[in-house]
């Protein structure tokens, strides 16, 4: 049982790390050597290789992606906190429903944010032959199934002695 709990906690922390990195790092979209993310657009200046960053657009859809990613982090942190609380207060045989629901909500939020970005990124940055999605965008999509899987595991999990 201890190994199972350790595995669940490691999975949950891995999801949290993926969510934090995908939300913070400036690599959601790469266009002609410029990187763009949820918060700022950066480009390399001349030979000196220094970065010039400007604030991202104030489009409503981009703000909804920002909100979804932040909500996913909040739900996942809350879920981890609730898991530890329920671990010590839940009666024997009880299920971790609240923890699982919050973790599934985190997965749904990250999925919604990444899906909105997928559909609407052309409104923000013109698509060229050099346009590609960055690793932070991919990490967000990787975090989605992992968050949902860990949420389902929490719902199925029963507390033992």
């Amino acid at each position: 049982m201890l190994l199972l709990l350790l595995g669940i906690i490691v999975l949950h922390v891995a999801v949290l790390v993926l969510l934090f990195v995908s939300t913070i790092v400036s690599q959601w979209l790469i266009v002609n050597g410029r990187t763009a993310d949820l918060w700022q657009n950066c480009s390399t200046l001349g030979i000196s290789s220094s970065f010039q960053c400007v604030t991202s657009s104030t489009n409503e859809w981009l703000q909804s992606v920002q909100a979804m990613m932040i909500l996913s982090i909040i739900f996942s942190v809350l879920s981890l906190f609730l898991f530890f609380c329920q671990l010590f207060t839940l009666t024997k045989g009880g299920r971790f429903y609240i923890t699982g629901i919050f973790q599934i909500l985190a997965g749904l939020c990250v999925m919604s944010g990444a899906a909105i970005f997928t559909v609407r990124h052309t409104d923000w940055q013109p698509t060229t032959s050099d346009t590609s999605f960055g690793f932070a965008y991919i990490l967000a999509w990787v975090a989605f199934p992992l968050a949902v899987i860990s949420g389902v595991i929490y719902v199925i999990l029963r507390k033992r002695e």
Side-chain angles (χ1 to χ4, degrees), residues 13 15 49 68 70 74 98 109 112 118 130 140 151:
V13 169
V15 168
S49 296
M68 287 295 161
I70 290 172
I74 290 170
I98 297 173
C109 282
S112 299
T118 302
D130 292 340

Side-chain angles (χ1 to χ4, degrees), residues 115-131:
I116 293 169
F117 189 84
T118 302
V119 173
R120 300 297 298 259
H121 78 278
T122 54
D123 298 347
W124 177 42
Q125 296 284 336
T127 304
T128 64
S129 61
D130 292 340
T131 302

Side-chain angles (χ1 to χ4, degrees), residues 21-31 33-40 42 51 117 132-139:
V21 169
S22 67
T23 302
I24 295 170
V25 173
S26 178
Q27 288 284 329
W28 274 66
L29 197 62
I30 302 169
V31 182
R34 295 179 309 143
T35 61
D37 72 340
L38 305 179
W39 313 105
Q40 58 188 359
C42 297
F51 278 106
F117 189 84
S132 64
F133 291 107
F135 75 92
Y137 170 82
I138 295 167
L139 289 181

Side-chain angles (χ1 to χ4, degrees), residues 4 14 19 27 34 37 51 58 69 87 93 107 119 161:
L4 178 66
L19 289 175
Q27 288 284 329
R34 295 179 309 143
D37 72 340
F51 278 106
T58 56
M69 293 304 293
L87 196 60
V119 173
E161 282 187 31

